[in-house]
Amino acid sequence: MINGVNVLAQIVAKKEIDGRPQLSLSCNTDVTLDIMPLIEEERAKGKKIVTIAQVHDDLPFMYNRAMVENDYFDFQVHSPAYQTRLFAPPNMSVPNPDYMAGLYASTLIKDGGTLQIGIGSLGDAIVYACKLRQTDNDVYKHVVDSLNIDKKLISEYGGVDAFDKGLYGSSEMFVNGFMHLIKSGIVKRKVYDDLDLQRLINEGKIGETVSPSTLECLLNESIISHQLTHSDFIYLQRWGIFSDAVQWAEDGLKIGETTLSVNLLEQANFASVCELCLGDNLKGGIYMHGGFYLGPQDFYQALRDMSREENEKICMSSVGHINQLDYNHPLLSAQRKHARFINTGMMVTLSGAVVSDGLENGTVVSGVGGQYNFVSMAHALPDARSILCVRSTRGSGKDLQSNITPHYGHITIPRHLRDIIVTEYGIADLRGKTDEQIAIELIKVADSRFQQELLEDMKSKGKVRESFTLPAEYKENYPEKLAGILKSAREKGLFPPFPLGSDFTDEEIALGKSLKDLKALMAHPRQMIKAVIRSFVHKVDADEARPFLERLSLDHPDSTKDKILQHLILLELEENGYLKPM
């Protein structure tokens, strides 16, 4: 709005609802719901702003706050010429460090709590770990037992048992992983947009099943009066406590031909109301709030295949609602109990500050998104925690660097908002710690090839006492150890390359891995030269190799460079086990 935007356009879904055409903001309620009031304010001042909806027949129709009237936009565009395939980023493979970080993070998720995760391989790893915890709990506990993990931290803030109460999802981005958690019966804890109901549910005084004790509790808590009013009736029917068959009349409550008094002080009448008027379960519960969604094609298909009843348990809303508490602080605080906001960072300093969106040379890697909001919210809510996952290293060979660093010239999350950091080597709980404790906790989860260097740096600055020695159990943080843990699990069919499925063909998966390995090889000239020589000596079956080469348009190389690349690709495919040597 500051930059004078005068056109808002977005893709929408359209459907007949109760005989009337309705639009759904569907995948993008995030900005639109917040910006429309601002647009109306500017229009009132005389500014010309146009809003346009492009109807797409393949876009899943989402209900609740995503539904808007047919005249919500100034113009609608609906033409087969614009029915392009919905953008669908594929699931990426999950590397070992992300699998391990996901395992650690999953132990910090409390049953009956709230979950926020983002897109990418780390989010997929967390989802996979949660599914393993739910569906094969003994195996999950066995794997967790092999990790160097503080059992007290798990018991206080998380858990390793299956999700009996379930989780509630509240995430700016509704990712494919959440759909897997819904299907697995993990995301199932419903929240209600009524503070009284939510408080009573949190306190265990009422449950989702409606019974006479539900009505009695509402009376005892003075949420409804013993002499029912029309507003009481509307409230009870809105939330499913009264069934839809009950009608309000001047002389009482009507159920078919029966009329009952609204005086609930009379025990006989109270019993009759409970017998004839009560519904079966509370209505209007939401187990997933999201601001926007994005994912692979099977994610969109799953949304399209949902019944309306199931779809309505997902509420797409605005970032003003999802990313902060100002929307309704008491209600959102009650809904988001035991929240775990899990996001990623690129680096973390030994003071606890995290680098997520840019580099010290001014390079912007990404927008900060909602990360700051969720970190801040974790400190505002009484039982919430922010979990930022950072890979311990980047690069390889002589270019290997630690992502845990003494200091850095750019930060995203300041040290005063430090909370929990997770690497592939463990959990560092930084909240409430001194400078020395923070540095030590982070060095414990650093790659062991950098631990001594980091420790000496902190000692030289007086941040860590000279007498401190890192305990031996933290000095085995090497990739080979992680590979060993995962190898034994993979022999049992666990931790597959694509835990949530893949849109890639087998050939594309093989090429993806081989091209990554080739890229890493190019960073080491001597090894690269040896590989080139080796590639021209090794021979593979031409028929087996042809599909891979055709996919890269290298089946008929017409330059020396392409011929070398062709041989290197075939060598990598052979060494990765995708091609047999001749």
Side-chain angles (χ1 to χ4, degrees):
M1 297 304 291
I2 290 171
N3 286 316
V5 169
N6 62 355
V7 175
L8 180 146
Q10 83 160 75
I11 194 171
V12 300
K14 190 171 185 176
K15 181 182 281 190
E16 289 276 333
I17 304 290
D18 299 325
R20 294 191 305 124
Q22 295 266 270
L23 300 181
S24 171
L25 301 177
S26 189
C27 55
N28 283 102
T29 50
D30 51 352
V31 174
T32 305
L33 287 175
D34 283 336
I35 204 172
M36 276 298 197
L38 303 180
I39 287 175
E40 292 306 319
E41 287 178 12
E42 292 301 308
R43 283 173 164 172
K45 298 174 186 176
K47 184 171 181 179
K48 292 183 179 179
I49 303 177
V50 174
T51 60
I52 305 166
Q54 181 200 333
V55 178
H56 197 299
D57 295 333
D58 293 336
L59 193 67
F61 192 98
M62 307 303 290
Y63 296 85
N64 298 310
R65 296 197 73 210
M67 281 178 60
V68 295
E69 294 297 329
N70 195 45
D71 59 357
Y72 188 75
F73 294 88
D74 298 323
F75 300 99
Q76 285 184 31
V77 178
H78 192 184
S79 169
Y82 305 134
Q83 294 287 96
T84 55
R85 190 170 184 260
L86 292 175
F87 176 65
N91 296 320
M92 303 305 292
S93 62
V94 177
N96 286 354
D98 288 0
Y99 258 134
M100 296 303 296
L103 263 173
Y104 281 111
S106 71
T107 66
L108 298 171
I109 301 170
K110 186 176 277 293
D111 185 24
T114 303
L115 181 64
Q116 177 262 321
I117 54 174
I119 197 170
S121 58
L122 179 68
D124 291 355
I126 294 167
V127 169
Y128 178 79
C130 287
K131 289 175 67 177
L132 188 63
R133 175 175 161 181
Q134 180 76 355
T135 60
D136 206 339
N137 192 250
D138 289 340
V139 171
Y140 173 81
K141 287 178 178 177
H142 178 74
V143 176
V144 169
D145 284 342
S146 69
L147 306 179
N148 187 9
I149 193 165
D150 184 350
K151 300 298 190 293
K152 182 180 177 183
L153 193 68
I154 294 177
S155 63
E156 186 171 356
Y157 296 112
V160 293
D161 292 325
F163 297 97
D164 179 42
K165 300 173 185 174
L167 301 176
Y168 155 61
S170 180
S171 186
E172 179 180 3
M173 188 172 186
F174 174 27
V175 293
N176 181 38
F178 274 113
M179 182 60 74
H180 283 260
L181 294 177
I182 290 169
K183 289 181 176 180
S184 300
I186 297 171
V187 167
K188 61 183 178 182
R189 181 177 76 85
K190 300 189 192 82
V191 299
Y192 296 84
D193 283 342
D194 181 83
L195 181 58
D196 290 321
L197 276 184
Q198 191 63 55
R199 176 178 59 81
L200 295 176
I201 290 170
N202 289 357
E203 293 172 357
K205 292 181 178 179
I206 65 171
E208 288 186 15
T209 302
V210 175
S211 68
S213 63
T214 308
L215 193 61
E216 188 173 8
C217 181
L218 295 176
L219 290 167
N220 292 339
E221 296 281 336
S222 299
I223 295 168
I224 58 173
S225 59
H226 285 83
Q227 188 76 23
L228 287 180
T229 65
H230 187 231
S231 60
D232 289 333
F233 169 78
I234 292 172
Y235 178 88
L236 292 169
Q237 203 161 56
R238 159 72 179 86
W239 297 110
I241 299 158
F242 274 3
S243 75
D244 291 337
V246 184
Q247 294 180 314
W248 178 265
E250 289 186 8
D251 55 344
L253 302 173
K254 292 188 73 67
I255 311 94
E257 298 299 319
T258 304
T259 302
L260 297 174
S261 168
V262 295
N263 184 0
L264 299 184
L265 283 172
E266 297 177 2
Q267 287 301 311
N269 187 61
F270 178 82
S272 297
V273 168
C274 290
E275 180 185 354
L276 299 176
C277 298
L278 294 186
D280 296 321
N281 296 289
L282 294 180
K283 291 195 311 187
I286 302 293
Y287 55 44
M288 179 74 221
H289 274 103
F292 69 101
Y293 65 74
L294 192 67
Q297 290 293 344
D298 62 351
F299 174 47
Y300 302 150
Q301 190 59 49
L303 288 173
R304 287 192 291 264
D305 291 343
M306 274 185 159
S307 66
R308 178 170 177 173
E309 181 183 4
E310 283 301 309
N311 189 303
E312 287 182 337
K313 294 173 186 174
I314 300 169
C315 180
M316 302 303 295
S317 191
S318 70
V319 289
H321 174 199
I322 304 295
N323 290 24
Q324 56 191 15
L325 299 171
D326 295 346
Y327 183 84
N328 187 330
H329 197 291
L331 176 63
L332 298 183
S333 297
Q335 291 177 343
R336 297 171 188 177
K337 65 175 186 175
H338 300 299
R340 301 294 178 262
F341 303 120
I342 310 178
N343 293 286
T344 58
M346 297 185 293
M347 290 173 272
V348 57
T349 72
L350 288 177
S351 68
V354 177
V355 182
S356 303
D357 69 328
L359 305 180
E360 60 186 359
N361 65 6
T363 299
V364 177
V365 176
S366 72
V368 69
Q371 183 171 120
Y372 165 78
N373 303 97
F374 288 110
V375 170
S376 177
M377 196 173 3
H379 288 271
L381 291 168
D383 50 14
R385 300 302 301 264
S386 162
I387 302 168
L388 291 176
C389 300
V390 178
R391 292 180 185 173
S392 68
T393 63
R394 63 185 183 277
S396 61
K398 66 177 183 179
D399 297 321
L400 184 72
Q401 297 182 63
S402 175
N403 286 328
I404 297 177
T405 180
H407 55 82
Y408 196 71
H410 171 87
I411 61 168
T412 309
I413 304 301
R415 64 184 293 274
H416 66 267
L417 289 178
R418 62 189 179 274
D419 204 337
I420 292 176
I421 300 294
V422 171
T423 75
E424 64 269 36
Y425 297 114
I427 301 167
D429 183 5
L430 309 182
R431 189 185 282 195
K433 299 290 199 303
T434 65
D435 283 2
E436 181 184 53
Q437 291 169 332
I438 292 165
I440 290 171
E441 288 302 305
L442 287 168
I443 292 170
K444 285 179 180 178
V445 298
D447 189 290
S448 290
R449 289 167 288 184
F450 298 96
Q451 286 175 325
Q452 190 59 34
E453 175 188 335
L454 293 170
L455 187 56
E456 288 174 1
D457 185 277
M458 288 293 98
K459 287 182 177 181
S460 71
K461 294 184 172 76
K463 291 289 186 179
V464 175
R465 61 191 183 278
E466 283 292 337
S467 62
F468 176 79
T469 302
L470 192 67
E473 62 262 33
Y474 300 105
K475 293 182 178 180
E476 299 297 322
N477 293 351
Y478 295 104
E480 294 78 12
K481 182 179 180 182
L482 305 185
I485 293 172
L486 291 175
K487 181 182 179 182
S488 59
R490 284 182 174 130
E491 289 171 353
K492 301 172 184 176
L494 304 174
F495 301 100
F498 294 88
L500 305 187
S502 176
D503 288 338
F504 294 118
T505 64
D506 291 341
E507 289 165 7
E508 289 169 337
I509 292 171
L511 286 170
K513 176 171 174 49
S514 299
L515 287 168
K516 282 183 181 178
D517 292 346
L518 184 56
K519 182 180 178 181
L521 184 64
M522 288 177 176
H524 307 282
R526 288 186 180 181
Q527 294 180 29
M528 181 69 174
I529 292 169
K530 291 180 181 179
V532 170
I533 295 170
R534 204 162 69 249
S535 72
F536 277 86
V537 175
H538 280 239
K539 301 295 181 184
V540 296
D541 187 285
D543 291 333
E544 278 191 354
R546 187 175 296 109
F548 296 104
L549 297 178
E550 288 176 348
R551 184 68 179 80
L552 296 176
S553 298
L554 287 174
D555 46 329
H556 298 292
D558 53 9
S559 68
T560 302
K561 178 183 175 182
D562 283 352
K563 286 179 181 177
I564 293 173
L565 184 58
Q566 181 198 60
H567 281 270
L568 284 170
I569 287 290
L570 293 176
L571 178 67
E572 289 293 340
L573 287 167
E574 178 198 333
E575 292 185 345
N576 285 324
Y578 296 111
L579 291 177
K580 296 176 183 176
M582 291 288 285

